[in-house]
Amino acid sequence: MHAVAIVAAAGSGSRLGADRPKALVPLAGRPLVSWAVEGLLAAGVADVVVTVPAADRAAFAAVLPTEVRLLDGGASRTASVRAGLAAAGDADVVLIHDAARPLTPPGVVARVVAALAAGAPAVVPVLPVVDTTVVVDDGGVVTGSLPRATLRRVQTPQGFDRAALIAAYAALPDGTELTDDAAVVRAAGVRVHTVPGDERAAKITVPHDLVLAEAQVRR
Ligand code: CTP
Ligand code: MG
């Protein structure tokens, strides 16, 4: 089974507020994108495509292994993944990963790949929700609560049968922006399976997340 990984790394990281694109921000001295790519390679996924901000391509090339292919991303994550999919070639399965999840353990990648190999058309790593989760109105007043036992937090990499993913993106109306790829295939009627995620695969979104990741690397 030939797997290709597409790493979405073309975001600016506005919530992190660093002086460079988020994927180039250092974690223990190495850019987030380097950590993310190495996790994929360590899990045995050798074919890796990274979508980058067009203006920063040289900076990404300088920090990534030469066998990693770089492509210009787009203005949204959805557009960046679309750009990456054009390079999926004849792979059987596609993993879509976020550079913003630098410390994703190879075991998470392996679980996603194993579920695809077992025949799942779409697979996401998930974690339970530990906080009580409520719904609020425009004024911030609680109007309801969600049954926590049925909720999951979704991580990356997310894995897909290549043909199913490409068909789902082709069917997604232009301009529709979804925050993950499983939502795209679900909109096309594909069953999305789950495997256990890992707290260490947490996403770097705000500065505090970087503090936690630094602590994780040091321990
Ligand atoms: N991403 C991308 N292309 C974009 C926007 C996001 O490839 N136009 C990628 C980011 O690089 C990141 C992943 O999608 O690895 C998840 O997005 P997010 O955490 O929201 O990153 P940013 O969009 O960069 O951050 P922010 O929303 O705070 O600006
Ligand atoms: Mg974003």
Side-chain angles (χ1 to χ4, degrees), residues 8-15 22 51 74-77 80 98-100 203-204:
S12 60
S14 53
R15 287 168 290 180
K22 181 161 72 177
T51 63
S76 65
R77 185 184 184 282
S80 294
D98 286 338
K203 188 158 80 75
I204 306 288

Side-chain angles (χ1 to χ4, degrees), residues 7-101:
V7 179
S12 60
S14 53
R15 287 168 290 180
L16 190 60
D19 60 354
R20 64 195 82 181
K22 181 161 72 177
L24 291 176
V25 168
L27 163 59
R30 288 165 52 232
L32 298 187
V33 68
S34 301
W35 288 95
V37 166
E38 268 160 43
L40 291 163
L41 296 174
V45 179
D47 189 2
V48 179
V49 175
V50 181
T51 63
V52 304
D56 299 287
R57 192 192 272 244
F60 279 78
V63 298
L64 289 170
T66 50
E67 67 265 29
V68 169
R69 289 180 284 158
L70 302 186
L71 285 178
D72 291 346
S76 65
R77 185 184 184 282
T78 302
S80 294
V81 172
R82 277 192 201 276
L85 276 181
D90 61 358
D92 304 301
V93 298
V94 181
L95 304 185
I96 313 281
H97 193 30
D98 286 338
R101 296 186 184 273

Side-chain angles (χ1 to χ4, degrees), residues 107-109 111-112 123-128 155 194-199:
V108 175
V109 182
R111 286 196 284 278
V112 171
V123 186
V124 294
V126 297
L127 288 175
Q155 301 184 312
T194 63
V195 294
D198 192 303
E199 296 290 355

